């Protein structure tokens, strides 16, 4: 029992002695031959250290491993030795990276010792290796950056159509050209579609990503994180700049942007909108994935690398957005500015989720705010332009005024941006806020502003109607224009904004104008068909007076026919309703007058000179009214009996 214990204790003591000896071997910082002599002296003091020579043998193995790794590294850097191609020599690349690992491992071991000679050699080898790896890292990035073209970039999201077409390519800010332009399609604008599902394009060839990751890990471990990040950021930043060029985004100063004509600027704004979507959701998202993978071993490298890579691309996009936001405001820019606002608004949360650079995120939110202010200011500019449009040339034939067409097409498009405009106008206070809630069904900020704008348009049209000397034509003009407004509202999303009650009120206005038209246009003719002033009953009325009445009626009717066949009522339903109203008002009165007094003239000489038309004749002529083609009644005198 005692012997066993002693043996056990002795074995434990032997282990402790050997462990101590191993620690001594490990901590000795002397030349190899001196270290070996010292270890042999130790072994002569205690037979338990008889195996100490095994420790001596370990040291040359470690030294040999270091020498081998050093040779591999220096061989690749030797001017007398042609280094193998990195891409074509995977086995030698693996050997080289293994040598780097060995040197780094030994440096970790040597850190607790003070063998300056070995440490210096190891650090030199690491410096040589890092220089080689930095070059290879750069070359791999450049060689394996996937060439992108516009088709691939635009194909990475759903194709959208963004167009703003004018009959002459531009829209006059002050509406001076309205009198000359009545094209229904003066402009057309379709909102850009939203980005589809997340998409990804290869930014770097997949086979090389793992190589980049292996190099990055070793450079970071060696303390060369800054150099590695700088190389990656420089190469990838240039690649992103090339992508922006492909997408049509130029590097322009604010002054240059403000000097561009509208047609050219509009094209650049469209390309910018697409570039923002593709840039953030395709390119930057792809870059973030790459950075996260290649620099997965270092949070700081991953963050700095992506921020530095993305910053130039994002700031170039933001600079253009800022230039647009502070440029001169004119009505035709509103829709494109709203598109830009929506585009940047959609991606700001994603930018904030990817980029941790406070300056870049702050700039993005600043540009978003600036575009919002520009949109509100441009909308107000449009309202003022409608209010102050004072062209003095009346529309030929009483047709729809170009101002009406322009404003209604413009307002129709604004409804597509109701969500955006409601958020932008939420805190705005203006005269439209004073509208009674029962004027519109849903009194949202944009609904109030649009109803106020339509009211301004109606007031402007009232003033323009006074340019016509003929009172009847004033009402034709007003009916045409108000009906056009109503139809545009009814046949678009505007009806949801202004509501049915607003439409009913305008239809009531049109009926009032129709009544006023009948009174203004036909009162003189109808006054010829009254009994007053004829000087007797139907059997003994003055023939002279009757002749004057028929003669005057004929003249009135022919004058109305000549003038009002030239007037234009574009809407077929309104045109027919007006003709029916005339028939119901004029024909019964003419038939009654003819029935009472016609016989007194028909038997006389030259009766056809005075009774030129039957009621049926008049009825047949009424369909010629309001066709926009002036006509004259010829050869309608009836032969004398």
């Amino acid at each position: 029992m005692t012997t066993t214990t002693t043996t056990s204790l002795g074995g434990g003591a032997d282990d402790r002695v050997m462990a101590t000896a191993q620690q001594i071997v490990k901590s000795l910082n002397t030349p190899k031959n001196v270290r070996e002599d010292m270890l042999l002296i130790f072994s002569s003091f205690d037979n338990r250290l008889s195996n100490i020579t095994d420790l001596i043998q370990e040291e040359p193995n470690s030294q040999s491993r270091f020498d081998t790794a050093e040779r591999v590294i220096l061989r690749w850097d030797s001017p007398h030795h042609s280094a193998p191609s990195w891409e074509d020599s995977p086995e030698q690349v693996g050997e080289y990276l293994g040598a780097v690992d060995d040197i780094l491992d030994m440096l970790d071991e040597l850190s607790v010792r003070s063998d300056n000679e070995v440490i210096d050699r190891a650090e030199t080898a690491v410096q040589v290796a890092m220089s080689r790896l930095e070059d290879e890292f750069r070359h791999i990035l450049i060689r394996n950056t996937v060439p992108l073209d516009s088709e691939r970039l635009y194909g990475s999201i759903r194709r959208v159509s963004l167009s703003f077409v004018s009959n002459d390519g531009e829209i006059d800010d002050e509406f001076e050209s309205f009198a000359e332009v009545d094209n229904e399609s003066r402009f057309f604008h379709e909102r850009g579609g939203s980005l589809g599902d997340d998409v990804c394009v290869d930014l770097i060839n997949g086979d090389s990503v793992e190589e980049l990751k292996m190099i990055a890990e070793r450079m970071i471990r060696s303390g060369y994180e800054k150099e590695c990040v700088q190389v990656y950021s420089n190469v990838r930043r240039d690649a992103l700049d090339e992508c922006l060029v492909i997408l049509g985004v130029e590097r322009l100063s604010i002054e240059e942007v403000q000097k561009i004509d509208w047609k050219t600027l509009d094209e650049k704004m469209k390309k910018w909108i697409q570039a923002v979507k593709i840039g953030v959701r395709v390119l930057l998202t792809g870059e973030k994935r790459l950075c996260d993978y290649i620099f997965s071993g270092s949070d700081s490298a991953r963050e700095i690398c992506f921020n530095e890579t993305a910053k130039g691309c994002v700031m170039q996009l933001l600079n253009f957005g800022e230039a647009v936001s502070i440029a001169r405001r004119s009505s035709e820019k509103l829709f494109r500015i709203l598109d830009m606002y929506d585009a940047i608004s959609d991606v700001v949360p994603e930018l904030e989720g990817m980029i941790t650079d406070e300056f870049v995120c702050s700039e993005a939110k600043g540009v978003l705010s600036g575009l919002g202010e520009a949109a509100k200011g441009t909308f107000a500019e449009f309202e003022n332009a409608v209010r102050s449009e004072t062209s003095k040339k009346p529309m030929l034939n009483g047709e729809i005024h170009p101002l009406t067409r322009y404003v209604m097409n413009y307002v129709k498009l604004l409804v597509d941006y109701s969500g955006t405009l409601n958020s932008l106008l939420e805190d705005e206070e203006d005269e439209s806020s004073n509208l009674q809630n029962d004027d519109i069904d849903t009194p949202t900020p944009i609904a109030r502003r649009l109803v106020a704008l339509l009211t301004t348009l109606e007031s402007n049209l009232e003033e323009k109607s006074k340019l016509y000397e003929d009172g009847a034509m004033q009402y034709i003009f007003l009916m045409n224009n108000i009906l056009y407004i109503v139809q545009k509202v009814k046949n678009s999303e505007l009806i949801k904004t202004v509501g049915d009650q607003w439409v009913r009120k305008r239809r009531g206005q049109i009926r009032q104008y129709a009544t006023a038209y009948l009174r203004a246009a036909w009162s003189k003719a109808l006054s010829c068909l009254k009994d007053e002033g004829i000087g007797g009953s139907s059997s003994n009325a003055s023939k002279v007076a009757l002749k004057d009445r028929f003669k005057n009626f004929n003249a009135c009717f022919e004058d109305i026919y000549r003038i009002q066949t030239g007037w234009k009522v574009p809407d077929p339903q309104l045109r027919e309703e007006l003709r029916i109203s005339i028939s119901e008002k004029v024909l019964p009165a003419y038939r009654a007058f003819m029935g009472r007094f016609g016989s007194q003239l028909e038997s006389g000489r030259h009766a056809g000179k005075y009774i030129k038309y039957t009621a049926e004749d008049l009825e047949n002529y009424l369909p010629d009214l309001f066709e926009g083609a002036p006509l004259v009644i010829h050869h309608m005198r009836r032969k004398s009996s």
Side-chain angles (χ1 to χ4, degrees):
M1 187 71 140
T2 304
T3 304
T4 303
T5 304
T6 303
T7 303
S8 175
L9 290 171
D14 289 349
D15 291 341
R16 287 194 295 275
V17 171
M18 287 299 296
T20 302
Q22 288 173 341
Q23 185 62 37
I24 292 171
V25 171
K26 192 173 183 179
S27 61
L28 286 172
N29 187 22
T30 57
K32 179 182 175 183
N33 59 335
V34 176
R35 189 163 64 251
E36 291 176 354
D37 291 342
M38 293 178 66
L39 291 173
L40 289 172
I41 294 171
F42 287 157
S43 66
S44 66
F45 291 147
D46 194 322
N47 61 3
R48 288 174 296 180
L49 296 177
S50 59
N51 293 329
I52 195 72
T53 54
D54 293 340
L55 298 176
I56 299 173
Q57 294 303 316
E58 288 178 9
E59 289 302 304
N61 288 339
S62 176
Q63 182 67 39
S64 174
R65 184 163 58 94
F66 172 79
D67 291 341
T68 300
E70 184 183 43
R71 279 196 302 274
V72 170
I73 290 171
L74 296 179
R75 184 174 69 244
W76 279 61
D77 200 56
S78 171
H80 306 295
H81 177 80
S82 178
S85 168
W86 191 273
E87 292 180 336
D88 299 334
S89 310
E91 292 183 1
Q92 295 187 59
V93 168
E95 179 189 31
Y96 188 87
L97 294 177
V100 173
D101 290 339
D102 286 342
I103 296 291
L104 293 175
D105 289 343
M106 294 186 69
L107 270 176
D108 290 340
E109 296 171 7
L110 290 169
S111 63
V112 296
R113 294 154 56 179
S114 56
D115 190 340
N116 294 329
E117 179 188 348
V118 177
I119 290 175
D120 288 345
R121 287 174 59 194
E123 289 178 345
T124 299
V126 167
Q127 289 176 3
V128 171
M130 290 306 109
S131 178
R132 163 67 60 182
L133 290 181
E134 182 178 333
D135 288 342
E136 293 298 341
F137 192 74
R138 180 183 294 104
H139 292 153
I140 292 171
L141 275 173
I142 294 173
R143 285 195 303 266
N144 291 279
T145 293
V146 176
L148 297 173
D149 54 32
S150 58
E151 185 174 348
R152 286 197 66 200
L153 289 175
Y154 282 109
S156 65
I157 64 171
R158 262 181 316 182
R159 294 185 178 278
V160 294
S161 173
L162 286 166
S163 58
F164 191 91
V165 182
S166 166
N167 68 310
D168 57 358
E170 294 188 21
I171 298 175
D172 192 280
D173 299 347
E174 302 301 327
F175 309 119
E176 290 296 338
S177 59
F178 282 152
E180 289 76 28
V181 179
D182 59 358
N183 187 350
E184 177 71 22
S185 300
R186 178 170 173 81
F187 68 87
F188 175 80
H189 176 90
E190 182 177 324
R191 289 201 68 182
S194 60
L195 192 66
D197 297 334
D198 284 344
V199 290
C200 182
V201 294
D202 293 329
L203 305 177
I204 295 178
N205 288 323
D207 294 341
S208 65
V209 175
E210 193 62 40
E211 293 180 354
L212 293 169
K213 177 180 172 66
M214 290 189 296
I215 294 175
E217 288 174 345
R218 286 159 178 83
M219 292 187 72
I220 291 170
R221 182 183 173 189
S222 303
Y224 284 76
E225 176 180 310
K226 180 179 178 181
E227 290 78 0
C228 186
V229 166
Q230 186 172 6
V231 169
Y232 183 93
S233 300
N234 288 342
V235 174
R236 293 307 304 158
R237 188 163 52 234
D238 290 343
L240 289 181
D241 286 346
E242 289 180 14
C243 287
L244 290 185
V245 172
I246 292 169
L247 293 171
V249 178
E250 303 173 47
R251 198 177 292 277
L252 299 170
S253 68
I254 291 176
E255 292 76 14
E256 289 173 323
V257 172
Q258 294 181 344
K259 292 177 182 177
I260 298 173
D261 65 272
W262 163 239
K263 187 175 181 180
T264 304
L265 179 61
D266 182 47
E267 287 300 318
K268 293 185 183 301
M269 291 166 81
K270 286 191 290 185
K271 290 176 180 177
W272 184 91
I273 291 161
Q274 291 289 66
V276 166
K277 296 175 183 178
I278 296 172
V280 174
R281 294 184 172 174
V282 178
L283 298 177
L284 293 190
T285 299
E287 285 295 338
K288 186 70 165 62
R289 291 193 188 103
L290 279 174
C291 283
D292 287 349
Y293 184 77
I294 293 172
F295 299 98
S296 59
S298 170
D299 290 341
S300 62
R302 188 165 60 240
E303 178 180 338
I304 294 170
C305 190
F306 179 72
N307 283 345
E308 288 301 310
T309 301
K311 184 175 182 178
C313 172
V314 174
M315 290 307 299
Q316 185 174 340
L317 289 170
L318 294 179
N319 287 341
F320 182 83
E322 181 185 8
V324 170
S325 71
I326 62 177
R328 184 179 66 87
R329 292 169 182 170
S330 55
S331 304
E332 75 274 9
K333 296 179 183 178
L334 179 57
F335 302 106
R336 201 65 71 211
I337 291 174
L338 287 169
D339 284 334
M340 290 178 67
Y341 178 89
D342 284 343
I344 198 77
S345 177
D346 287 345
V347 301
V348 160
E350 296 168 59
L351 277 176
E352 290 183 303
M354 289 190 287
I355 297 177
T356 57
D357 189 320
E358 295 264 343
F359 173 77
V360 175
C361 293
S362 174
E363 286 292 299
K365 288 186 281 191
V367 169
L368 177 64
S369 175
L371 287 170
E373 290 300 317
K376 289 191 291 184
T378 305
F379 185 28
E381 186 76 20
F382 176 68
E383 292 171 314
N384 291 333
V386 175
R387 187 177 299 110
S388 60
E389 200 286 304
T390 55
S391 58
K392 298 298 183 183
K393 185 177 180 181
M395 282 302 297
L396 186 66
N397 305 333
E399 285 197 75
I400 300 159
H401 199 283
L403 174 64
T404 309
R405 295 183 186 277
Y406 184 94
V407 171
M408 292 314 299
N409 281 302
Y410 200 100
V411 170
K412 263 183 63 179
L413 298 175
L414 281 177
V415 176
D416 288 342
Y417 300 88
S418 289
T420 301
L421 287 167
N422 275 327
S423 65
L424 290 174
L425 301 173
E426 195 167 7
D427 300 325
E428 293 281 301
E429 291 293 334
D430 62 28
E431 60 202 40
S432 61
S433 302
N434 298 324
L435 288 170
Q436 294 298 317
N437 285 344
D438 57 3
D439 285 338
I440 45 179
D441 294 347
T442 53
T444 59
I446 187 60
R448 286 194 294 269
R449 292 286 283 270
L450 290 183
V451 168
L453 180 62
L454 294 179
T455 301
T456 299
L457 174 61
E458 290 173 297
S459 299
N460 198 318
L461 292 171
E462 286 276 359
E463 289 301 312
K464 292 188 186 306
S465 71
K466 297 173 184 176
L467 297 174
Y468 298 100
E469 295 181 2
D470 190 323
M473 195 175 192
Q474 293 180 9
Y475 297 114
I476 293 293
F477 172 79
L478 288 171
M479 278 189 284
N480 282 335
N481 283 269
I482 300 302
L483 179 60
Y484 180 87
I485 293 171
V486 168
Q487 288 172 334
K488 283 292 185 179
V489 169
K490 286 277 290 181
N491 298 328
S492 70
E493 293 297 307
L494 271 169
I495 187 63
K496 297 178 182 178
T497 303
V498 302
D500 291 327
Q501 185 171 338
W502 185 92
V503 170
R504 285 194 296 272
K505 286 185 177 181
R506 271 65 196 173
R507 288 202 180 279
Q509 273 186 306
I510 294 171
R511 288 192 294 271
Q512 292 174 8
Y513 290 143
T515 301
Y517 156 77
L518 287 173
R519 186 168 53 249
W522 293 92
S523 291
K524 184 177 179 182
L526 290 173
S527 67
C528 298
L529 304 178
K530 293 181 178 179
D531 295 350
E532 294 85 352
I534 293 180
S537 65
S538 58
S539 60
N540 60 1
S542 167
K543 288 187 177 183
V544 174
L546 285 176
K547 288 178 181 179
D548 285 341
R549 289 295 183 88
F550 276 104
K551 186 177 179 180
N552 290 337
F553 175 83
N554 295 337
C556 286
F557 182 82
E558 290 168 3
D559 199 39
I560 291 171
Y561 182 86
R562 177 180 56 81
I563 293 172
Q564 296 192 24
T565 51
W567 293 359
K568 182 74 173 176
V569 177
D571 182 72
Q573 184 176 342
L574 176 60
R575 190 165 62 242
E576 187 59 28
E577 287 175 355
L578 284 172
R579 291 166 181 166
I580 292 172
S581 297
I582 294 168
S583 297
E584 292 174 346
K585 192 82 171 175
V586 176
L587 296 183
Y590 189 75
R591 284 193 180 98
F593 193 78
M594 279 283 291
R596 289 195 301 274
F597 304 109
S599 59
Q600 296 188 41
L601 295 181
E602 285 181 337
S603 59
R605 220 175 142 194
H606 305 300
K609 182 178 179 181
Y610 306 105
I611 304 177
K612 297 170 64 174
Y613 310 110
T614 65
E616 289 70 24
D617 291 332
L618 299 181
E619 188 173 12
N620 290 333
Y621 284 121
L622 291 181
D624 294 335
L625 300 180
F626 316 124
E627 291 289 343
L631 298 174
V632 178
I633 301 176
H634 293 293
H635 310 298
M636 294 309 299
R637 291 177 181 267
R638 294 166 62 187
K639 291 182 180 180
S640 302
S641 56

